[in-house]
Amino acid sequence: EVQLQASGGGLVQAGGSLRLSCAASGFTFDDYAIGWFRQAPGKEREGVSCISSSDGSTVYADSVKGRFTISSDNAKNTVYLRMNSLKPEDTAVYYCAARTSPIDRSIATSPLEYDYWGQGTEVTVSS
């Protein structure tokens, strides 16, 4: 059974940091993409960042470039999202998702391109 579990969310003041984790199980963690997405109240789900487990290439949304860093530990079947300099606008439920086939960078942050989803972890940034 394929499962993704997101964790690490919480309440933090503006300017603070959090690290989210996405633990995968039920499939090999080698040649597919893992993406982080977020959905704020009243907003559409949007891509935040993604990483290829095969070559480590990454993609970031413009809104988080320079502040967020995605990384992977293939031995642990885990992907991380380090979030620095958090802003109130970053408040959302964050989800991790997996795609088991190659993906082009131009569509790597589209939720429609991913097959498996975790339950999400809530991040709240106060001003």
Side-chain angles (χ1 to χ4, degrees):
E1 180 181 354
V2 175
Q3 294 187 53
L4 299 170
Q5 184 173 2
S7 62
L11 175 63
V12 64
Q13 294 185 22
S17 299
L18 287 172
R19 189 182 73 165
L20 306 183
S21 299
C22 176
S25 62
F27 60 100
T28 58
F29 200 81
D30 293 309
D31 297 318
Y32 51 85
I34 299 292
W36 283 99
F37 302 82
R38 66 186 183 186
Q39 188 164 21
K43 303 288 184 64
E44 297 292 322
R45 186 170 298 186
E46 63 175 348
V48 176
S49 183
C50 66
I51 187 169
S52 169
S53 62
S54 60
D55 62 8
S57 61
T58 59
V59 175
Y60 295 93
D62 289 342
S63 59
V64 305
K65 286 180 179 177
R67 300 189 297 121
F68 291 11
T69 303
I70 191 170
S71 61
S72 64
D73 186 338
N74 288 2
K76 297 181 178 179
N77 277 18
T78 301
V79 169
Y80 305 96
L81 184 68
R82 186 182 67 193
M83 306 185 295
N84 295 329
S85 302
L86 283 163
K87 305 175 181 179
E89 303 93 283
D90 296 317
T91 295
V93 177
Y94 284 71
Y95 301 88
C96 63
R99 174 186 169 100
T100 58
S101 60
I103 193 168
D104 189 85
R105 291 178 61 86
S106 65
I107 59 172
T109 56
S110 172
L112 299 177
E113 303 298 327
Y114 290 78
D115 304 306
Y116 306 103
W117 291 82
Q119 84 288 357
T121 184
E122 187 170 359
V123 173
T124 302
V125 184
S126 64
S127 59

